[in-house]
Amino acid sequence: MRNHGFWRPIFGKLLSNLNKDFRRIRLVRLYSTELQPQLSIDLIKIMEQRLSAIENRSTQLQRFLDQPELTPSEYSTANKELRKLRDSVDLISELRAKQKDIEELKSVISECQDDKDMQQMASEELSEATEGEKKFQLLLLKSLLPKDDADERDCILEVRAGTGGEEASLFAMDIFKMYEKYSGKKGWKYEVLEVAESDLKGYKEAIASISGAGVYGKLKFESGIHRVQRVPVTEKGGRVHTSAVSVAILPQADQLDVKLRNEDLRIDTYRSGGSGGQHANTTNSAVRITHMPSGITVSIQDQRSQHMNRAKALKILCAKLYEIERLNNQSSRSKLRMDQIGSGDRSERIRTYNFPQGRVTDHRVGITTHSIDDVLQGEDLDAFIDALLLREEMDAIASFSST
């Protein structure tokens, strides 16, 4: 049943309230229990049908696994499917227990009309049980929503200076270091793979590997054009200039994910040095790898070791090829999500950093914060990231309710 009309006004009001909160305080944690969507009766009915199907399938698999004549292959396949259902089945059991408590407490309230103390006690417990039921319903709903398999992967971060010359390179350095500080606060591993410096020691291009739990799922909406408005260090007249930096977040992959074949690669070595090489030397330590079928080329000259540069280049190449494959597979994803969040394409302007006004605005969710320094220190970045994750979840709920 289609229920998009139900969710859109709620979501519009939700974002309006978030904007007001942002103007009142410097940091708003958007992705919190207070902002979880209220479940409609229709949505609960749809979800209950899915939960019943999970329960029935789990029971069937248990009975199947109890059969003594199963082959090892049959047992392994069925057991693997059952393990995938285990977390959902456990949550369903918790939900059913709460629902049973609710029914029993309602009976107590109905049967104890003359015992006010008992009624009050039962009413308080009923309120707690009802809140518990809602919590498990929300957890189960999230578990049923479609997931991006890449969300749990590590990621490759690419930052490139765009329009704006040296000022764009200096801002690219600021953005690159912003993600490094943010990663540090999250306890993630941040490894610089390659930096190409400009004449003023800004970054014409910088690439890093970020590793940790759910890194790609957290950062994936950072892809796009980040625009800066400020007075450049080279500006003598004090005029504000506009520059741009492109950010790409790619899920990490390995050679098995993309079926990389040696015969598809052309590997060239050369001497590192000049802008971008951390150590100019006389050995052929720099590596350029070209993937012949796609034409993608990756060059790394960050390390003295040719072996290390080759490993870094392969890591970046695999991420690029994996992303191409993912985008091809997801070409039919929700238009609603594309319109509201954006495609994540690096050519799309997503955020403006205005230094004279001290503000940062995310154009996809219409949220502005006036703590630009905190954002660039990785402090307030969660405010934007969490708002985008919340919007993604709302889109998924809208799609869920229409199926």
Side-chain angles (χ1 to χ4, degrees):
M1 129 172 231
R2 297 198 173 272
N3 203 18
H4 292 78
F6 175 83
W7 286 106
R8 287 190 181 117
I10 290 178
F11 187 56
K13 184 177 180 182
L14 175 63
L15 283 183
S16 175
N17 290 338
L18 294 183
N19 255 325
K20 294 176 183 176
D21 288 341
F22 242 101
R23 296 187 183 99
R24 286 198 300 267
I25 59 177
R26 299 182 69 191
L27 177 60
V28 179
R29 291 303 307 218
L30 302 174
Y31 203 57
S32 64
T33 54
E34 289 80 5
L35 293 176
Q36 296 296 348
Q38 296 297 310
L39 302 185
S40 69
I41 294 175
D42 289 333
L43 190 58
I44 290 174
K45 287 180 179 178
I46 296 170
M47 188 173 70
E48 278 293 338
Q49 293 174 359
R50 306 278 179 92
L51 299 185
S52 295
I54 291 174
E55 289 175 306
N56 292 335
R57 182 57 179 164
S58 177
T59 300
Q60 291 173 359
L61 288 170
Q62 288 283 8
R63 290 173 180 169
F64 182 76
L65 290 169
D66 288 339
Q67 298 179 46
E69 66 274 11
L70 292 181
T71 66
S73 176
E74 289 174 330
Y75 185 90
S76 176
T77 301
N79 194 45
K80 183 178 180 180
E81 182 181 352
L82 186 61
R83 284 200 306 270
K84 288 182 179 180
L85 295 177
R86 187 163 295 155
D87 288 344
S88 293
V89 170
D90 289 343
L91 282 174
I92 294 171
S93 297
E94 296 276 6
L95 174 63
R96 299 302 184 222
K98 285 294 179 187
Q99 291 172 334
K100 183 179 179 181
D101 290 344
I102 289 171
E103 291 304 314
E104 291 176 352
L105 288 166
K106 286 180 178 179
S107 296
V108 170
I109 294 172
S110 177
E111 294 169 1
C112 298
Q113 298 290 336
D114 298 330
D115 192 335
K116 299 302 181 184
D117 290 339
M118 179 63 75
Q119 269 202 330
Q120 181 177 352
M121 186 183 304
S123 295
E124 291 173 356
E125 291 185 13
L126 177 61
S127 178
E128 291 179 6
T130 302
E131 287 302 312
E133 180 190 34
K134 291 178 182 177
K135 181 187 75 172
F136 287 118
Q137 285 174 333
L138 283 169
L139 288 172
L140 280 163
L141 176 60
K142 290 180 181 180
S143 74
L144 295 173
L145 296 178
K147 297 176 180 62
D148 187 338
D149 292 338
D151 280 353
E152 295 304 315
R153 289 177 179 255
D154 301 332
C155 78
I156 296 291
L157 163 69
E158 294 183 336
V159 178
R160 288 185 174 85
T163 56
E166 283 290 348
E167 167 60 11
S169 296
L170 291 170
F171 184 59
M173 179 178 65
D174 292 339
I175 292 294
F176 193 71
K177 291 183 176 180
M178 175 183 74
Y179 291 119
E180 183 175 13
K181 293 168 185 174
Y182 180 76
S183 298
K185 295 179 189 302
K186 292 293 182 184
W188 298 338
K189 180 183 177 182
Y190 191 94
E191 178 188 4
V192 177
L193 300 181
E194 175 77 345
V195 172
E197 291 185 340
S198 66
D199 293 339
L200 294 181
K201 301 301 181 182
Y203 293 169
K204 292 190 291 186
E205 178 182 10
I207 305 173
S209 168
I210 308 177
S211 305
V215 166
Y216 176 74
K218 190 79 171 175
L219 293 179
K220 59 185 176 182
F221 294 127
E222 291 300 291
S223 290
I225 298 298
H226 295 240
R227 186 177 67 171
V228 61
Q229 295 170 326
R230 66 182 178 187
V231 179
V233 293
T234 55
E235 170 58 50
K236 304 302 182 183
R239 293 176 300 170
V240 174
H241 290 226
T242 298
S243 304
V245 164
S246 71
V247 172
I249 303 290
L250 308 173
Q252 285 197 33
D254 56 35
Q255 296 186 39
L256 293 177
D257 289 318
V258 295
K259 300 180 177 63
L260 201 60
R261 302 184 306 171
N262 289 331
E263 53 265 36
D264 291 336
L265 304 178
R266 187 179 73 230
I267 301 177
D268 302 308
T269 59
Y270 56 98
R271 294 179 182 179
S272 65
S275 181
Q278 288 190 352
H279 308 284
N281 59 55
T282 58
T283 64
N284 289 348
S285 62
V287 174
R288 182 188 300 110
I289 300 179
T290 302
H291 183 248
M292 309 293 280
S294 66
I296 294 175
T297 297
V298 178
S299 300
I300 294 289
Q301 56 175 339
D302 187 62
Q303 301 291 327
R304 289 183 181 270
S305 164
Q306 183 186 118
H307 176 74
M308 293 179 67
N309 283 333
R310 176 188 170 116
K312 287 184 176 184
L314 280 173
K315 178 184 285 191
I316 296 169
L317 177 61
C318 286
K320 290 177 178 289
L321 293 174
Y322 181 67
E323 180 68 356
I324 290 173
E325 184 177 324
R326 287 181 68 250
L327 292 178
N328 288 337
N329 292 337
Q330 295 175 3
S331 59
S332 60
R333 64 182 140 177
S334 167
K335 184 179 184 299
L336 179 63
R337 175 197 171 281
M338 297 277 282
D339 289 343
Q340 291 182 340
I341 295 181
S343 64
D345 190 287
R346 70 186 69 184
S347 65
E348 179 184 3
R349 187 191 71 176
I350 63 169
R351 196 173 294 150
T352 295
Y353 304 73
N354 185 299
F355 278 78
Q357 298 177 15
R359 66 171 173 83
V360 182
T361 298
D362 194 290
H363 304 290
R364 296 161 296 178
V365 286
I367 288 176
T368 295
T369 177
H370 291 276
S371 54
I372 190 169
D373 291 336
D374 289 338
V375 171
L376 291 174
Q377 290 298 316
E379 296 283 352
D380 283 10
L381 194 56
D382 265 331
F384 301 111
I385 289 173
D386 289 349
L388 290 159
L389 291 174
L390 177 61
R391 173 162 272 183
E392 179 189 39
E393 183 176 294
M394 296 298 292
D395 290 346
I397 291 172
S399 297
F400 180 90
S401 65
S402 68
T403 57

